[in-house]
Amino acid sequence: MDQVAALELRSVDLQSPRNSKEHHTQEMGLKRLIVRRGQLFALRLGFCRPFQPQADTITFVAETGPEPSERLGTRATFSLTQTRHGNVWSASDFTIDSNSLQVSLFTPANAVIGPYTLKIEISQGQGHSVTYSLGTFILLFNPWSAEDDVYLPSEILLQEYIMRDYGFVYKGHERFITSWPWNFGQFEEDIIDICFEILNRSLYYLENPSKDYSQRNDVVYVCRVVSAMINSNDDNGVLQGNWGEDYSRGVSPLEWNGSVAILRQWSARGGQPVKYGQCWVFASVMCTVMRCLGVPTRVISNFRSAHNVDRNLTIDTYYDRNAEMLPTQKQDKIWNFHVWNECWMIRKDLPPGYNGWQVLDPTPQQTSSGLFCCGPASVKAIREGEVHLAYDTPFVYAEVNADEVIWLFRNGRAQEILAHNTSSIGKKVSTKMVGSDQRQDITSSYKYPEGSPEERSVFMKASRKMLGPNRTSSSFLDLLGSGGFQGHPVRLQLHLARTPEWGQDLMLVLRVQRVPHSAHPQGPIRLVVRFCAQALLHGGGTREPLWRHMMQLNLDFGKETQWPLLLPYNSYRNKLTDEKLIRVSGIAEFEETGRSMLVLKDISLEPPHLSIEVSERAEVGKALRVHITLTNTLTVSLSNCMMVLEGSGLIDGQIVNNLGTLMADHTIQIQVDLYPIKAGPRQLQVLISSNEVKEIKGYKDILVAPARAS
């Protein structure tokens, strides 16, 4: 009988186009094989002769990491079988067609994610074998697989939280929420490589590469590593934070349009942190990385967000009798807004009931297990006050639930409580609505309605856990106990008389109403009201006063009066931060009693608005003319205007134009031709920045049709 020739490998087809479509990775390009765990993918192998199942023995070897090991889960060997058995590496369902072998490979739903090499060993008998390389593939988390810890059983949600490569960040102030378009760009060709480069530069990897790789099957672990690596506080992370106002050594956080330019710069410069980021930049870049790796992720904004370092669930702020908000040495602050992420996952490390959305916060605020990272903290645990559950739940709970105590500071100490607000922190928690450009308010997923019995009950439960049973006394609690909170015989309100625009005088109205009060007779009341205006900083602090005013009032019982206030443009010109927020505070002092009360008004100044129009149908590879119009509605010129255009699938990288100076009341019209690269729904982001106004932003949703067959 003739001896059969040895089986030799002649060709390999990784079938990337077919596999990419089935694994929802076609947006990442078709040149290489990118698949998701817990799902079959197909290969075609060509041999020198037909494969003979009874005589030929093929073993597949998949390896990842620096020192692959079966014990650590970074190496798998598996033989060719006709049927697949369970959630293990396997090669099965093969068909033989002449000299080629079609085979399906399966990766377990708890496999380590990352770049793999794939080989086959062909046994030659008598203990000899020959090894052939089949190539490489990248393995990602699989939210489409019911066996994966990131499984999300809704195609609509998957399209939003994995596949959508643009979105919005909500910024500003609880009463003036602005939506910022952001280009996540997770499917740009090199982004997936940069995501794994981020993991490979973490302190965990540098300390023990093999152990780090072996834990990359665990989404909780990967999320914590990414959360630490987006900031650069402990490591060569992606972004360096800057909450000052000097951005001359880098890019202002307000001038980023998306994540792609940041990630590419970090990688191109060998892992040098990119300057600069603040919370919305950190969270948006983390969203890009997590969506790219296959974890459903969204960006969350919390307005009036507490930064409660001492974990006492109260934030103290101080005013003097002239209504100036005073700086404090305490780290506790109330941010105008703070931005973090939510990632969707099963929490096998927690008791049942805490799966689903988890808070992750890459902004470096405090350390967790020695590194600047935060989360994952279960949103359900936060709502129920279960602050003992991992990770960092007390910190996030305080961000949305702390109480605010406002003090009058006199003679070197806090003397009088002006306000105790139980519901002023954690407002308008917001994210982009699924399948829409609208904002969705998700405050109710973080806490019960303010003032409800459930909300106060949860607050007391969390307080006991965070402060312990032997809650120490404080001057605040002593004052509460002594009935320091009596009502006032007067109601004060500050209103805007017209829409506030940057470059215009600001018109306000003080509304004063006398109300019944047991401690005050019905005769007239005299009070002195001192006003102060200060630039409000993103981190909750203020600059020195830019305007002061004082008035004396005599109020008869039952009367209501209105007093106009004018804050001239010259008072705040060159005094504000780039975010254009002003806090106007007033402290009224009653002559009869010497007691005081506080009235506040935060003002957000509107920048000029962009108009973006697209006249014709958008098609891949065909010129698309975009018309951009900006009218300078301010009373001053906008100098050194720079325009940046960005949009994954529309533009490769960025288009940057220097527009020069735009005079007051003048209009500039710009025409740009784009050549769309990918079909489907896309978003064009436009940013115009100037010396006077850093952030004039606009966007246009564009549906791109596939190229017509020629």
Side-chain angles (χ1 to χ4, degrees):
M1 189 172 176
D2 292 342
Q3 189 175 359
V4 177
L7 191 68
E8 295 176 8
L9 184 71
R10 294 285 167 83
S11 65
V12 181
D13 179 5
L14 297 179
Q15 302 194 324
S16 293
R18 170 188 164 182
N19 289 321
S20 295
K21 189 173 183 189
E22 291 177 0
H23 286 250
H24 307 275
T25 58
Q26 68 269 37
E27 285 275 314
M28 295 180 176
L30 305 176
K31 293 176 186 168
R32 52 184 174 167
L33 181 59
I34 302 172
V35 291
R36 300 186 186 277
R37 64 187 193 175
Q39 188 174 335
L40 292 164
F41 64 94
L43 304 177
R44 183 178 288 275
L45 306 178
F47 295 107
C48 61
R49 60 166 174 79
F51 173 72
Q52 297 178 1
Q54 281 72 35
D56 298 319
T57 304
I58 295 179
T59 303
F60 288 81
V61 181
E63 295 179 327
T64 187
E67 295 172 350
S69 143
E70 293 193 20
R71 180 179 63 83
L72 293 173
T74 50
R75 183 177 197 268
T77 58
F78 45 102
S79 300
L80 189 61
T81 56
Q82 191 53 60
T83 53
R84 181 168 74 81
H85 301 289
N87 185 36
V88 294
W89 289 88
S90 61
S92 60
D93 306 324
F94 63 86
T95 55
I96 302 163
D97 177 15
S98 184
N99 287 5
S100 72
L101 176 72
Q102 182 80 14
V103 61
S104 293
L105 266 59
F106 180 81
T107 61
N110 59 349
V112 167
I113 63 159
Y116 278 80
T117 58
L118 187 62
K119 298 179 283 194
I120 56 167
E121 294 173 353
I122 302 176
S123 174
Q124 303 284 331
Q126 298 171 339
H128 294 293
S129 65
V130 179
T131 301
Y132 295 93
S133 171
L134 301 184
T136 61
F137 67 94
I138 292 174
L139 191 63
L140 302 176
F141 291 110
N142 191 353
W144 281 268
S145 165
E147 305 302 314
D148 200 306
D149 284 352
V150 300
Y151 176 54
L152 181 57
S154 162
E155 187 59 35
I156 292 170
L157 297 184
L158 287 164
Q159 288 303 313
E160 183 69 53
Y161 298 132
I162 290 285
M163 301 304 293
R164 183 144 349 255
D165 60 5
Y166 61 85
F168 297 95
V169 180
Y170 296 99
K171 297 180 59 199
H173 187 279
E174 58 165 316
R175 293 193 190 91
F176 331 97
I177 295 175
T178 54
S179 62
W180 262 48
W182 192 270
N183 180 37
F184 295 120
Q186 68 267 31
F187 302 127
E188 296 285 321
E189 211 155 292
D190 51 347
I191 294 300
I192 189 165
D193 303 301
I194 298 172
C195 290
F196 287 111
E197 187 183 342
I198 288 170
L199 296 182
N200 289 348
R201 287 186 182 274
S202 82
L203 293 181
Y204 294 104
Y205 176 83
L206 297 174
E207 195 175 284
N208 189 334
S210 297
K211 183 184 177 189
D212 171 68
Y213 253 86
S214 74
Q215 292 178 274
R216 294 186 188 180
N217 64 328
D218 177 4
V219 64
V220 171
Y221 176 79
V222 171
C223 281
R224 279 181 70 73
V225 171
V226 173
S227 169
M229 277 300 296
I230 297 298
N231 68 71
S232 62
N233 282 40
D234 311 288
D235 41 47
N236 280 335
V238 176
L239 279 157
Q240 182 174 323
N242 185 341
W243 287 268
E245 292 165 57
D246 178 9
Y247 306 119
S248 57
R249 293 174 178 271
V251 175
S252 161
L254 293 165
E255 292 182 42
W256 297 112
N257 259 350
S259 308
V260 177
I262 293 167
L263 289 166
R264 284 178 174 164
Q265 181 181 318
W266 176 80
S267 177
R269 295 184 182 176
Q272 286 296 308
V274 175
K275 299 173 180 177
Y276 293 105
Q278 287 182 14
C279 61
W280 67 91
V281 188
F282 290 115
S284 299
V285 172
M286 181 156 183
C287 183
T288 296
V289 173
M290 298 317 298
R291 284 187 186 179
C292 184
L293 294 176
V295 181
T297 304
R298 59 189 188 180
V299 176
I300 309 296
S301 295
N302 176 40
F303 290 87
R304 302 209 84 238
S305 186
H307 183 181
N308 187 210
V309 176
D310 56 18
R311 291 172 56 143
N312 66 352
L313 286 176
T314 59
I315 307 287
D316 299 306
T317 51
Y318 302 90
Y319 288 82
D320 68 14
R321 67 191 298 262
N322 296 314
E324 179 182 344
M325 185 179 172
L326 301 173
T328 171
Q329 298 307 308
K330 290 186 177 180
Q331 288 183 285
D332 285 12
K333 295 280 192 305
I334 302 170
W335 297 60
N336 298 331
F337 67 94
H338 183 52
V339 184
W340 59 67
N341 301 99
E342 286 178 2
C343 293
W344 180 273
M345 68 190 76
I346 289 170
R347 290 296 300 273
K348 290 176 178 171
D349 58 323
L350 298 183
Y354 299 102
N355 298 334
W357 290 116
Q358 314 287 321
V359 171
L360 284 131
D361 188 349
T363 298
Q365 296 188 89
Q366 65 166 21
T367 58
S368 173
S369 303
L371 292 181
F372 277 94
C373 65
C374 178
S378 162
V379 173
K380 288 180 183 171
I382 295 160
R383 188 172 196 254
E384 299 301 332
E386 303 295 353
V387 292
H388 60 290
L389 297 176
Y391 290 84
D392 309 303
T393 311
F395 186 78
V396 184
Y397 179 85
E399 286 183 304
V400 293
N401 283 297
D403 284 2
E404 178 187 20
V405 182
I406 303 176
W407 297 85
L408 180 64
F409 199 83
R410 236 187 332 212
N411 302 326
R413 65 187 186 91
Q415 284 195 345
E416 183 183 342
I417 293 180
L418 296 168
H420 169 219
N421 300 323
T422 60
S423 60
S424 65
I425 285 172
K427 310 292 282 185
K428 303 275 181 75
V429 184
S430 302
T431 193
K432 177 187 176 297
M433 196 174 281
V434 174
S436 157
D437 288 352
Q438 300 301 305
R439 180 181 69 87
Q440 181 182 358
D441 190 310
I442 58 167
T443 311
S444 61
S445 65
Y446 279 84
K447 53 185 174 180
Y448 289 95
E450 292 286 6
S452 67
E454 297 93 339
E455 186 262 342
R456 281 289 104 180
S457 165
V458 167
F459 185 84
M460 295 313 295
K461 175 170 71 172
S463 299
R464 282 193 295 273
K465 287 179 178 174
M466 289 170 70
L467 301 168
N470 307 317
R471 182 169 177 167
T472 54
S473 181
S474 69
S475 52
F476 162 56
L477 290 169
D478 293 343
L479 263 167
L480 274 181
S482 69
F485 284 132
Q486 300 166 14
H488 290 289
V490 167
R491 186 177 294 130
L492 297 179
Q493 292 175 304
L494 269 174
H495 295 281
L496 283 163
R498 67 181 185 201
T499 303
E501 290 187 21
W502 195 82
Q504 308 280 340
D505 294 344
L506 305 180
M507 308 288 292
L508 296 104
V509 173
L510 175 69
R511 186 174 293 159
V512 188
Q513 187 180 6
R514 182 77 190 275
V515 292
H517 192 268
S518 58
H520 285 264
Q522 295 194 2
I525 283 181
R526 287 191 299 278
L527 63 158
V528 176
V529 190
R530 297 177 177 88
F531 292 97
C532 177
Q534 295 167 276
L536 191 56
L537 309 177
H538 170 56
T542 50
R543 283 183 172 176
E544 66 283 349
L546 54 87
W547 171 85
R548 292 186 187 275
H549 186 68
M550 188 176 93
M551 58 173 63
Q552 292 181 312
L553 305 176
N554 284 316
L555 281 180
D556 288 325
F557 185 75
K559 287 288 173 63
E560 180 177 322
T561 50
Q562 295 191 7
W563 296 78
L565 292 167
L566 175 73
L567 203 169
Y569 168 57
N570 280 339
S571 294
Y572 70 81
R573 182 179 184 174
N574 304 326
K575 301 276 180 67
L576 302 186
T577 69
D578 291 334
E579 286 169 314
K580 307 283 186 273
L581 276 169
I582 298 174
R583 170 161 293 172
V584 178
S585 17
I587 286 192
E589 194 174 300
F590 296 91
E591 285 192 5
E592 289 83 357
T593 63
R595 292 190 64 220
S596 302
M597 67 182 294
L598 174 72
V599 62
L600 292 176
K601 185 70 179 176
D602 290 344
I603 302 169
S604 175
L605 300 175
E606 286 276 310
H609 292 280
L610 276 176
S611 154
I612 307 166
E613 295 300 328
V614 178
S615 48
E616 64 264 32
R617 174 178 177 271
E619 187 181 310
V620 170
K622 185 181 166 194
L624 177 69
R625 180 147 292 180
V626 178
H627 302 268
I628 300 162
T629 307
L630 172 65
T631 300
N632 180 4
T633 53
L634 308 183
T635 55
V636 295
S637 299
L638 298 177
S639 56
N640 193 26
C641 294
M642 296 291 293
M643 180 178 74
V644 180
L645 274 67
E646 195 167 320
S648 286
L650 295 170
I651 300 166
D652 183 11
Q654 297 177 324
I655 296 173
V656 182
N657 280 352
N658 187 339
L659 306 178
T661 298
L662 180 57
M663 307 296 286
D665 287 327
H666 280 55
T667 298
I668 188 168
Q669 293 183 318
I670 308 131
Q671 291 186 358
V672 182
D673 283 347
L674 308 181
Y675 293 84
I677 305 155
K678 292 179 181 176
R682 304 291 163 195
Q683 188 185 78
L684 176 67
Q685 294 96 15
V686 180
L687 166 72
I688 296 180
S689 63
S690 67
N691 292 346
E692 291 71 24
V693 182
K694 282 286 180 283
E695 42 169 337
I696 303 170
K697 274 208 167 196
Y699 74 94
K700 186 75 175 176
D701 291 335
I702 298 172
L703 185 63
V704 181
R708 289 184 223 189
S710 51

